[in-house]
Amino acid sequence: MDRAVMRAGRCVVLASALLALATGVFAQALADPTRPPDAAPVLGSAASAGAARPQLQSVLISNQPGGRRLAVIDGRSVRAGDKVGGAVVVSIGEASVALRRGKTLETLRLTPQTVDANDAMHVRRKQVHVTQ
């Protein structure tokens, strides 16, 4: 009877170890939704580093009138007037940031502006429906 108990105990320990290892493997496959995107790979040359377009990651605007406006661009918190890769932050909107690079004005957006024909038709129908 002692052998049966020992064998059952070993099976329980082995099953527990396998279960612990299996959950660790599955947990590593899950992505953290709050993790910021990885930085763009550095290509080594100064010219190619300057050609990369900055990425707007977040915008923080105070609810109080005249409150502060911050944007996170390439992992760095900036305000109006700060420099980002040779460009100056001109303004920070709710979902965009305007940068001035020399005489050129560039707008960074939180979401890309892509509209296909179906989206455009849906917007037009919605506008017509609302105005009637």
Side-chain angles (χ1 to χ4, degrees), residues 11-54:
C11 288
V12 168
V13 169
L14 181 62
S16 298
L18 288 174
L19 184 61
L21 290 173
T23 56
V25 169
F26 291 122
Q28 290 176 359
L30 297 175
D32 181 6
T34 62
R35 183 178 177 181
D38 292 332
V42 177
L43 299 176
S45 70
S48 63
R53 182 175 177 174

Tab-separated table of all heavy atoms in Angstrom, residues 11-54:
chain	number	residue	atom	x	y	z
A	11	CYS	N	2.981	10.900	-9.277
A	11	CYS	CA	2.143	11.316	-10.420
A	11	CYS	C	1.589	12.731	-10.210
A	11	CYS	O	1.536	13.526	-11.142
A	11	CYS	CB	1.007	10.317	-10.624
A	11	CYS	SG	1.537	8.741	-11.291
A	12	VAL	N	1.179	13.021	-8.974
A	12	VAL	CA	0.646	14.351	-8.679
A	12	VAL	C	1.740	15.404	-8.842
A	12	VAL	O	1.519	16.464	-9.431
A	12	VAL	CB	0.044	14.391	-7.255
A	12	VAL	CG1	-0.252	15.815	-6.824
A	12	VAL	CG2	-1.209	13.547	-7.184
A	13	VAL	N	2.952	15.114	-8.340
A	13	VAL	CA	4.060	16.053	-8.466
A	13	VAL	C	4.426	16.255	-9.928
A	13	VAL	O	4.634	17.387	-10.393
A	13	VAL	CB	5.282	15.566	-7.643
A	13	VAL	CG1	6.515	16.390	-7.973
A	13	VAL	CG2	4.971	15.624	-6.166
A	14	LEU	N	4.485	15.181	-10.710
A	14	LEU	CA	4.815	15.269	-12.133
A	14	LEU	C	3.748	16.054	-12.893
A	14	LEU	O	4.066	16.922	-13.712
A	14	LEU	CB	4.988	13.865	-12.729
A	14	LEU	CG	5.364	13.798	-14.196
A	14	LEU	CD1	6.714	14.461	-14.422
A	14	LEU	CD2	5.388	12.362	-14.679
A	15	ALA	N	2.483	15.780	-12.607
A	15	ALA	CA	1.398	16.499	-13.279
A	15	ALA	C	1.436	17.982	-12.929
A	15	ALA	O	1.223	18.852	-13.785
A	15	ALA	CB	0.055	15.887	-12.905
A	16	SER	N	1.730	18.305	-11.675
A	16	SER	CA	1.815	19.709	-11.257
A	16	SER	C	2.956	20.430	-11.961
A	16	SER	O	2.812	21.572	-12.405
A	16	SER	CB	2.012	19.806	-9.746
A	16	SER	OG	0.920	19.243	-9.070
A	17	ALA	N	4.091	19.751	-12.079
A	17	ALA	CA	5.239	20.359	-12.757
A	17	ALA	C	4.944	20.605	-14.226
A	17	ALA	O	5.260	21.667	-14.775
A	17	ALA	CB	6.471	19.471	-12.604
A	18	LEU	N	4.317	19.632	-14.879
A	18	LEU	CA	3.965	19.804	-16.300
A	18	LEU	C	2.953	20.923	-16.487
A	18	LEU	O	3.055	21.710	-17.421
A	18	LEU	CB	3.433	18.490	-16.872
A	18	LEU	CG	4.473	17.388	-17.084
A	18	LEU	CD1	3.788	16.106	-17.521
A	18	LEU	CD2	5.513	17.815	-18.096
A	19	LEU	N	1.997	21.015	-15.602
A	19	LEU	CA	0.990	22.075	-15.685
A	19	LEU	C	1.630	23.449	-15.483
A	19	LEU	O	1.310	24.410	-16.185
A	19	LEU	CB	-0.105	21.839	-14.655
A	19	LEU	CG	-1.276	22.814	-14.684
A	19	LEU	CD1	-1.978	22.734	-16.035
A	19	LEU	CD2	-2.247	22.506	-13.572
A	20	ALA	N	2.545	23.559	-14.534
A	20	ALA	CA	3.233	24.828	-14.282
A	20	ALA	C	4.057	25.249	-15.494
A	20	ALA	O	4.079	26.423	-15.874
A	20	ALA	CB	4.115	24.712	-13.043
A	21	LEU	N	4.735	24.303	-16.123
A	21	LEU	CA	5.526	24.633	-17.311
A	21	LEU	C	4.640	25.016	-18.486
A	21	LEU	O	4.949	25.926	-19.242
A	21	LEU	CB	6.423	23.445	-17.693
A	21	LEU	CG	7.575	23.158	-16.734
A	21	LEU	CD1	8.270	21.864	-17.149
A	21	LEU	CD2	8.552	24.304	-16.702
A	22	ALA	N	3.514	24.334	-18.647
A	22	ALA	CA	2.617	24.614	-19.774
A	22	ALA	C	2.005	26.006	-19.659
A	22	ALA	O	1.897	26.727	-20.644
A	22	ALA	CB	1.526	23.551	-19.849
A	23	THR	N	1.614	26.425	-18.447
A	23	THR	CA	1.025	27.760	-18.308
A	23	THR	C	2.061	28.839	-18.575
A	23	THR	O	1.737	29.892	-19.098
A	23	THR	CB	0.416	27.955	-16.904
A	23	THR	OG1	1.428	27.717	-15.927
A	23	THR	CG2	-0.751	27.034	-16.674
A	24	GLY	N	3.320	28.608	-18.227
A	24	GLY	CA	4.375	29.579	-18.512
A	24	GLY	C	4.585	29.762	-19.996
A	24	GLY	O	4.805	30.867	-20.480
A	25	VAL	N	4.485	28.690	-20.746
A	25	VAL	CA	4.659	28.770	-22.200
A	25	VAL	C	3.526	29.563	-22.823
A	25	VAL	O	3.737	30.411	-23.680
A	25	VAL	CB	4.729	27.347	-22.801
A	25	VAL	CG1	4.640	27.389	-24.311
A	25	VAL	CG2	6.000	26.648	-22.359
A	26	PHE	N	2.293	29.345	-22.397
A	26	PHE	CA	1.160	30.057	-22.971
A	26	PHE	C	1.148	31.524	-22.549
A	26	PHE	O	0.758	32.385	-23.300
A	26	PHE	CB	-0.160	29.387	-22.581
A	26	PHE	CG	-0.354	28.052	-23.218
A	26	PHE	CD1	-0.536	26.922	-22.444
A	26	PHE	CD2	-0.325	27.912	-24.587
A	26	PHE	CE1	-0.712	25.685	-23.028
A	26	PHE	CE2	-0.485	26.680	-25.185
A	26	PHE	CZ	-0.682	25.557	-24.403
A	27	ALA	N	1.589	31.828	-21.344
A	27	ALA	CA	1.599	33.218	-20.881
A	27	ALA	C	2.593	34.057	-21.671
A	27	ALA	O	2.382	35.238	-21.880
A	27	ALA	CB	1.935	33.259	-19.397
A	28	GLN	N	3.672	33.489	-22.144
A	28	GLN	CA	4.649	34.246	-22.908
A	28	GLN	C	4.114	34.611	-24.289
A	28	GLN	O	4.571	35.570	-24.883
A	28	GLN	CB	5.936	33.442	-23.055
A	28	GLN	CG	6.686	33.304	-21.738
A	28	GLN	CD	7.906	32.414	-21.871
A	28	GLN	OE1	8.171	31.894	-22.943
A	28	GLN	NE2	8.632	32.249	-20.786
A	29	ALA	N	3.138	33.895	-24.796
A	29	ALA	CA	2.608	34.164	-26.122
A	29	ALA	C	1.658	35.359	-26.130
A	29	ALA	O	1.361	35.901	-27.180
A	29	ALA	CB	1.886	32.933	-26.658
A	30	LEU	N	1.163	35.791	-24.964
A	30	LEU	CA	0.236	36.911	-24.906
A	30	LEU	C	0.987	38.229	-25.011
A	30	LEU	O	2.021	38.419	-24.399
A	30	LEU	CB	-0.552	36.867	-23.597
A	30	LEU	CG	-1.437	35.647	-23.394
A	30	LEU	CD1	-2.060	35.683	-22.013
A	30	LEU	CD2	-2.505	35.577	-24.457
A	31	ALA	N	0.434	39.160	-25.781
A	31	ALA	CA	1.045	40.484	-25.941
A	31	ALA	C	0.407	41.449	-24.958
A	31	ALA	O	-0.788	41.399	-24.702
A	31	ALA	CB	0.845	40.979	-27.364
A	32	ASP	N	1.201	42.349	-24.409
A	32	ASP	CA	0.715	43.363	-23.491
A	32	ASP	C	0.111	44.506	-24.304
A	32	ASP	O	0.821	45.200	-25.031
A	32	ASP	CB	1.871	43.861	-22.630
A	32	ASP	CG	1.451	44.910	-21.618
A	32	ASP	OD1	0.231	45.173	-21.499
A	32	ASP	OD2	2.329	45.465	-20.947
A	33	PRO	N	-1.210	44.746	-24.202
A	33	PRO	CA	-1.830	45.799	-25.017
A	33	PRO	C	-1.431	47.209	-24.613
A	33	PRO	O	-1.628	48.150	-25.369
A	33	PRO	CB	-3.330	45.578	-24.799
A	33	PRO	CG	-3.430	44.868	-23.497
A	33	PRO	CD	-2.171	44.054	-23.366
A	34	THR	N	-0.863	47.375	-23.423
A	34	THR	CA	-0.470	48.712	-22.968
A	34	THR	C	0.974	49.044	-23.293
A	34	THR	O	1.410	50.160	-23.038
A	34	THR	CB	-0.665	48.842	-21.444
A	34	THR	OG1	0.181	47.886	-20.780
A	34	THR	CG2	-2.110	48.596	-21.057
A	35	ARG	N	1.714	48.097	-23.860
A	35	ARG	CA	3.124	48.332	-24.180
A	35	ARG	C	3.238	49.217	-25.419
A	35	ARG	O	2.588	48.970	-26.428
A	35	ARG	CB	3.816	47.004	-24.436
A	35	ARG	CG	5.273	47.155	-24.709
A	35	ARG	CD	5.925	45.818	-24.898
A	35	ARG	NE	7.318	46.023	-25.240
A	35	ARG	CZ	8.151	45.058	-25.478
A	35	ARG	NH1	7.754	43.819	-25.419
A	35	ARG	NH2	9.386	45.317	-25.784
A	36	PRO	N	4.062	50.271	-25.363
A	36	PRO	CA	4.218	51.127	-26.544
A	36	PRO	C	4.907	50.373	-27.672
A	36	PRO	O	5.610	49.385	-27.428
A	36	PRO	CB	5.096	52.277	-26.042
A	36	PRO	CG	5.755	51.758	-24.829
A	36	PRO	CD	4.880	50.703	-24.237
A	37	PRO	N	4.687	50.808	-28.906
A	37	PRO	CA	5.333	50.121	-30.024
A	37	PRO	C	6.842	50.210	-29.920
A	37	PRO	O	7.388	51.165	-29.365
A	37	PRO	CB	4.821	50.859	-31.263
A	37	PRO	CG	4.302	52.151	-30.756
A	37	PRO	CD	3.903	51.948	-29.327
A	38	ASP	N	7.515	49.185	-30.441
A	38	ASP	CA	8.971	49.181	-30.423
A	38	ASP	C	9.503	50.306	-31.288
A	38	ASP	O	8.892	50.704	-32.272
A	38	ASP	CB	9.513	47.848	-30.943
A	38	ASP	CG	9.203	46.702	-29.993
A	38	ASP	OD1	9.078	46.966	-28.783
A	38	ASP	OD2	9.065	45.560	-30.457
A	39	ALA	N	10.652	50.814	-30.915
A	39	ALA	CA	11.290	51.883	-31.678
A	39	ALA	C	11.743	51.345	-33.026
A	39	ALA	O	12.023	50.161	-33.177
A	39	ALA	CB	12.476	52.444	-30.915
A	40	ALA	N	11.811	52.215	-34.007
A	40	ALA	CA	12.269	51.815	-35.338
A	40	ALA	C	13.724	51.392	-35.264
A	40	ALA	O	14.515	51.978	-34.518
A	40	ALA	CB	12.102	52.974	-36.318
A	41	PRO	N	14.110	50.384	-36.021
A	41	PRO	CA	15.514	49.949	-35.971
A	41	PRO	C	16.452	51.018	-36.514
A	41	PRO	O	16.137	51.727	-37.454
A	41	PRO	CB	15.524	48.708	-36.867
A	41	PRO	CG	14.306	48.810	-37.714
A	41	PRO	CD	13.308	49.611	-36.944
A	42	VAL	N	17.599	51.147	-35.893
A	42	VAL	CA	18.606	52.112	-36.307
A	42	VAL	C	19.422	51.492	-37.432
A	42	VAL	O	19.936	50.391	-37.304
A	42	VAL	CB	19.516	52.489	-35.118
A	42	VAL	CG1	20.596	53.441	-35.560
A	42	VAL	CG2	18.691	53.067	-34.001
A	43	LEU	N	19.548	52.201	-38.533
A	43	LEU	CA	20.229	51.661	-39.698
A	43	LEU	C	21.710	51.999	-39.732
A	43	LEU	O	22.427	51.539	-40.593
A	43	LEU	CB	19.550	52.147	-40.981
A	43	LEU	CG	18.091	51.713	-41.121
A	43	LEU	CD1	17.492	52.319	-42.372
A	43	LEU	CD2	17.973	50.205	-41.152
A	44	GLY	N	22.180	52.829	-38.839
A	44	GLY	CA	23.610	53.075	-38.748
A	44	GLY	C	24.094	54.352	-39.402
A	44	GLY	O	25.054	54.941	-38.956
A	45	SER	N	23.482	54.814	-40.455
A	45	SER	CA	23.969	56.030	-41.100
A	45	SER	C	23.160	57.224	-40.619
A	45	SER	O	21.981	57.126	-40.353
A	45	SER	CB	23.870	55.906	-42.620
A	45	SER	OG	22.522	55.926	-43.027
A	46	ALA	N	23.806	58.349	-40.513
A	46	ALA	CA	23.134	59.556	-40.036
A	46	ALA	C	22.072	60.025	-41.024
A	46	ALA	O	21.042	60.541	-40.639
A	46	ALA	CB	24.164	60.657	-39.799
A	47	ALA	N	22.304	59.828	-42.303
A	47	ALA	CA	21.340	60.272	-43.303
A	47	ALA	C	20.051	59.468	-43.213
A	47	ALA	O	18.961	60.014	-43.326
A	47	ALA	CB	21.937	60.140	-44.708
A	48	SER	N	20.158	58.164	-43.006
A	48	SER	CA	18.948	57.352	-42.937
A	48	SER	C	18.202	57.609	-41.637
A	48	SER	O	16.989	57.516	-41.584
A	48	SER	CB	19.286	55.871	-43.072
A	48	SER	OG	20.105	55.462	-41.988
A	49	ALA	N	18.921	57.946	-40.546
A	49	ALA	CA	18.259	58.243	-39.282
A	49	ALA	C	17.452	59.531	-39.385
A	49	ALA	O	16.382	59.648	-38.811
A	49	ALA	CB	19.280	58.342	-38.158
A	50	GLY	N	17.946	60.519	-40.121
A	50	GLY	CA	17.231	61.773	-40.286
A	50	GLY	C	16.032	61.638	-41.214
A	50	GLY	O	15.121	62.427	-41.158
A	51	ALA	N	16.011	60.630	-42.067
A	51	ALA	CA	14.927	60.459	-43.015
A	51	ALA	C	13.713	59.803	-42.392
A	51	ALA	O	12.642	59.838	-42.954
A	51	ALA	CB	15.405	59.629	-44.203
A	52	ALA	N	13.850	59.182	-41.212
A	52	ALA	CA	12.731	58.518	-40.567
A	52	ALA	C	11.726	59.555	-40.086
A	52	ALA	O	12.098	60.566	-39.491
A	52	ALA	CB	13.223	57.672	-39.403
A	53	ARG	N	10.444	59.300	-40.341
A	53	ARG	CA	9.391	60.218	-39.934
A	53	ARG	C	9.033	59.971	-38.468
A	53	ARG	O	8.860	58.836	-38.051
A	53	ARG	CB	8.172	60.007	-40.813
A	53	ARG	CG	7.068	60.953	-40.484
A	53	ARG	CD	5.931	60.837	-41.418
A	53	ARG	NE	4.904	61.751	-40.958
A	53	ARG	CZ	3.812	62.002	-41.601
A	53	ARG	NH1	3.595	61.408	-42.743
A	53	ARG	NH2	2.932	62.838	-41.124
A	54	PRO	N	8.920	61.022	-37.651
A	54	PRO	CA	8.548	60.834	-36.252
A	54	PRO	C	7.136	60.264	-36.145
A	54	PRO	O	6.290	60.513	-37.003
A	54	PRO	CB	8.628	62.230	-35.653
A	54	PRO	CG	8.849	63.169	-36.760
A	54	PRO	CD	9.149	62.402	-37.996
